[in-house]
Amino acid sequence: MTSTYDALLGRLVRAFDALLPGADPALRPSERGDYQANGVMALAKARGENPRATAAAVLENLDLSGIAQVEVAGPGFLNLTLTTAFLHDQLGALLADERLGVPRGGARTTVIDYSAPNVAKEMHVGHLRSTVIGDALARLHRFRGDTVVARNHVGDWGTPFGMLIEHLLDLGEEEAVASLSIGDLDGFYRDARVKFDADDAFKERSRARVVALQSGDPETRRLWRVLVDESVAYFAEVYRALDVTLRPVDVVGESYYNPMLEDVVRDLDAAGLLVESGGALCVFPAGFTNREGEPLPLIVQKRDEGFGYAASDLAAVRDRVGNLHADEILYVVGAPQGQHFEMVFAVARAAGWLPDTVRCEHVAFGNVLGPDRKMFKTRSGETVKLIDLLAEATQRASAALATRASTLDDDERRVLATQIARAAIKYADLSTDRQRDYVFDLDRMIAFEGDTGPYLQYAHARLRSIFRRLGASWDPGTVTFVLADAAERHLALGLVAFPEAVAAALSSLQPHRLSGYLFDLAQRFTAFYESCPVLTAPEPTRTERLALCELTARTLALGLSLLGIDAPDQM
Ligand code: ARG
């Protein structure tokens, strides 16, 4: 089916095009009329006419079937009101369409680099954002029809591994594995660090160990593997608890690119891009300067011959374009790494590894703040473990459920509590503009009222309960939508707008465009439900209203699923 928005926009484009080829009208849902068209002003300017005259000319060329009324407002806005017949057709098509009007895109390959925690370090709230936003984007792209290749670029290489391996040996392998597998990654790292700073002999051993690791000493590599495998197994547990689609095969860490780094250096050199600066090998991409106006280097190989973070990212771009054939590469990483990525992309372009046809974007996000609006930390000043946050949210959800009358048994309640907890945490993250910071406030996030995940889950469950009360399974047959009540029409206009919300979230890489839509839809539903009785309404109104309920429930469930949030049938 063609969505309402696309149908109207298509007509506008044709009408504008007849007057000025390539003219670019815009359309948005609006409270005055159902949709408002914009672009007449620019067209009038280009044609050297008065906007009113241009508006009249557009109208002459516009296919008006399904449009009940057009009002020319202000300096050339067109307010379009749809006919009920048009909405009837659109709603009927939605009922018959599993995708609820969202078109399938061309088969593109999208690589999404997300989560990327560090081996032997706890996943902190920054990784929560990357994981939750990245997973929502992965689900949205998959739904569009892309082949999504997730890349969990874990930090599994570098100088700290010397001290981590020596610490593992000091503890004894068994003991070390035990402490890592209970998830005390930070404790392990901290202890290694303390020894490294205090004990010169340990420091020496650690340095020698890094050399052994880099030269491929088999026993050192085996011990390194132990550290990586234990950490990755722990991460997998966190992903399972969060219901995140990352799998073990998506873990393609920094170390994966080691064998490609020599070539990166060689090819940058051959392209004349490599410069020696202070003993390090660097590229100075055009347009990047520090505060003093001096050119900024991207360090590819350090003075000690070791390759750095940037080198593996350069190799990764090459791999993603050359071997994975990416059409689009997204890096869901915190805003502070913005310049790093801009420089990596610039160097990759200069080296010819990143053609302009590939969309390469740093999907940046802001910080998670504590109630004091400072970086979110535990009371003792440590980073907050994701898994602890989830446990606390689950406990709160269980407590809230215990106060409600319910027919669910204990097991069902336990499952429901985890679904609510995940929804609370994910939705709070996904419902703010990702570039902005947000305050982690569990009380607000888990509330059943307000712009929260549990509120949307509850709206969905309430809809499902209407159908449960019906008893027998409900088959709409043919529904005639007359939308006699203003609240019905308002809800219907919300329902037909789902495809735009999905498209907006995808094009802006902003999941909050979808969550904002879902919240608005739930509010439209609430207003409808308050003024329009459903089960007690006479036929054919009852069937029409049930169909609106069914579409609302399906839209909420599908929308939430694209954000990685469950929509339980009962709460
Ligand atoms: N491991 C890094 C960190 O914790 C994030 C890696 C992001 N991805 C990348 N391709 N550099 O900060």
Side-chain angles (χ1 to χ4, degrees):
M1 70 174 285
T2 305
S3 74
T4 304
Y5 182 86
D6 285 343
L8 292 177
L9 187 63
R11 294 176 189 191
L12 278 170
V13 167
R14 280 190 296 278
F16 273 62
D17 214 56
L19 299 172
L20 180 74
D24 191 19
L27 185 70
R28 58 181 191 84
S30 154
E31 296 297 325
R32 260 167 274 136
D34 298 329
Y35 286 85
Q36 184 170 74
N38 196 351
V40 171
M41 279 287 269
L43 185 56
K45 213 176 241 169
R47 283 164 56 94
E49 309 178 304
N50 160 330
R52 291 247 152 198
T54 306
V58 168
L59 285 183
E60 242 161 72
N61 284 284
L62 189 62
D63 172 0
L64 289 172
S65 58
I67 297 176
Q69 197 191 329
V70 189
E71 185 204 14
V72 182
F77 293 109
L78 302 178
N79 293 334
L80 311 173
T81 306
L82 303 175
T83 63
T84 304
F86 185 87
L87 284 172
H88 162 84
D89 289 347
Q90 289 294 317
L91 293 166
L94 286 181
L95 269 177
D97 182 8
E98 256 175 46
R99 299 180 58 84
L100 296 171
V102 179
R104 202 175 267 285
R108 292 162 56 86
T109 298
T110 300
V111 175
I112 310 186
D113 183 316
Y114 71 103
S115 193
N118 300 310
V119 165
K121 277 199 193 162
E122 198 51 62
M123 285 178 82
H124 57 70
V125 286
H127 297 118
L128 167 74
R129 295 216 70 185
S130 175
T131 305
V132 168
I133 296 167
D135 208 49
L137 293 177
R139 289 170 194 256
L140 279 157
H141 281 83
R142 260 182 226 125
F143 184 65
R144 178 169 80 183
D146 292 15
T147 300
V148 170
V149 183
R151 278 290 180 261
N152 192 353
H153 195 88
V154 299
D156 62 357
W157 201 254
T159 41
F161 282 91
M163 91 187 177
L164 290 169
I165 292 170
E166 285 304 317
H167 181 52
L168 176 142
L169 286 171
D170 287 0
L171 280 181
E173 220 172 301
E174 222 168 289
E175 175 107 355
V177 165
S179 105
L180 290 168
S181 63
I182 58 158
D184 188 19
L185 274 54
D186 276 349
F188 187 89
Y189 198 97
R190 203 183 324 111
D191 293 349
R193 183 87 234 176
V194 166
K195 258 197 280 178
F196 186 86
D197 290 337
D199 177 346
D200 282 341
F202 183 81
K203 199 178 269 178
E204 247 346 281
R205 266 159 57 202
S206 301
R207 293 228 169 94
R209 193 53 81 172
V210 176
V211 175
L213 180 63
Q214 275 165 348
S215 61
D217 168 56
E219 176 62 4
T220 303
R221 289 296 286 228
R222 188 187 68 76
L223 294 166
W224 168 79
R225 257 279 138 230
V226 171
L227 286 173
V228 173
D229 289 349
E230 286 305 321
S231 302
V232 166
Y234 171 72
F235 300 148
E237 250 174 73
V238 178
Y239 298 144
R240 207 171 320 112
L242 274 172
D243 188 22
V244 159
T245 61
L246 278 171
R247 301 154 308 163
V249 293
D250 302 326
V251 173
V252 179
E254 290 174 25
S255 65
Y256 174 82
Y257 301 99
N258 282 345
M260 310 172 197
L261 300 181
E262 301 274 1
D263 284 357
V264 164
V265 172
R266 193 199 56 212
D267 295 348
L268 287 173
D269 197 23
L273 292 166
L274 215 54
V275 178
E276 212 199 292
S277 170
L281 295 176
C282 309
V283 181
F284 290 88
F288 291 89
T289 49
N290 65 13
R291 259 185 234 130
E292 283 73 47
E294 296 152 4
L296 267 181
L298 185 72
I299 299 171
V300 181
Q301 191 164 7
K302 292 179 278 190
R303 204 202 311 249
D304 65 4
E305 306 246 305
F307 297 97
Y309 187 55
S312 34
D313 264 326
L314 285 170
V317 172
R318 257 185 131 172
D319 183 56
R320 290 162 189 186
V321 175
N323 297 325
L324 300 176
H325 307 293
D327 297 298
E328 196 172 334
I329 313 174
L330 307 177
Y331 293 81
V332 190
V333 185
Q337 293 193 36
Q339 189 173 58
H340 163 76
F341 284 112
E342 288 314 317
M343 292 177 81
V344 166
F345 301 163
V347 171
R349 270 193 211 101
W353 302 335
L354 181 58
D356 290 337
T357 47
V358 177
R359 176 184 186 187
C360 199
E361 214 168 307
H362 174 211
V363 182
F365 52 80
N367 295 317
V368 181
L369 307 177
D372 54 0
R373 301 204 62 93
K374 297 214 180 84
M375 291 296 266
F376 189 42
K377 294 262 163 71
T378 62
R379 227 167 291 153
S380 52
E382 285 166 54
T383 50
V384 182
K385 283 192 190 189
L386 282 193
I387 209 76
D388 293 346
L389 282 182
L390 200 59
E392 194 182 336
T394 306
Q395 217 165 23
R396 302 254 193 127
S398 302
L401 286 176
T403 66
R404 301 169 83 91
S406 145
T407 55
L408 298 175
D409 66 32
D410 285 353
D411 276 342
E412 289 169 329
R413 275 181 195 236
R414 245 192 303 281
V415 173
L416 186 55
T418 61
Q419 291 177 320
I420 294 172
R422 284 199 294 255
I425 290 179
K426 287 184 172 181
Y427 188 87
D429 202 300
L430 296 171
S431 59
T432 34
D433 179 332
R434 61 173 159 75
Q435 314 258 21
R436 294 179 38 187
D437 299 344
Y438 74 90
V439 173
F440 194 93
D441 175 355
L442 209 43
D443 289 329
R444 181 185 63 79
M445 289 157 56
I446 208 143
F448 280 42
E449 294 93 39
D451 188 5
T452 70
Y455 167 74
L456 291 181
Q457 288 182 315
Y458 185 60
H460 172 264
R462 208 158 47 134
L463 278 154
R464 285 288 160 230
S465 83
I466 297 172
F467 291 93
R468 262 196 308 282
R469 265 181 277 152
L470 268 181
S473 77
W474 180 75
D475 174 13
T478 39
V479 187
T480 308
F481 292 94
V482 293
L483 308 173
D485 193 292
E488 292 171 325
R489 197 165 192 284
H490 193 56
L491 177 58
L493 283 165
L495 290 167
V496 301
F498 179 63
E500 286 134 76
V502 173
L506 275 164
S507 64
S508 62
L509 304 170
Q510 286 276 21
H512 83 275
R513 301 291 292 270
L514 177 57
S515 63
Y517 162 83
L518 294 174
F519 181 56
D520 174 68
L521 184 70
Q523 286 178 308
R524 284 174 193 246
F525 169 72
T526 303
F528 155 83
Y529 203 51
E530 272 163 20
S531 59
C532 301
V534 176
L535 291 176
T536 56
E539 288 296 358
T541 305
R542 183 175 186 260
T543 296
E544 181 187 1
R545 290 185 177 164
L546 279 168
L548 289 171
C549 289
E550 168 71 13
L551 280 175
T552 307
R554 271 158 56 179
T555 307
L556 288 175
L558 177 56
L560 287 172
S561 82
L562 295 178
L563 298 175
I565 296 173
D566 298 297
D569 282 341
Q570 221 170 325
M571 273 175 81

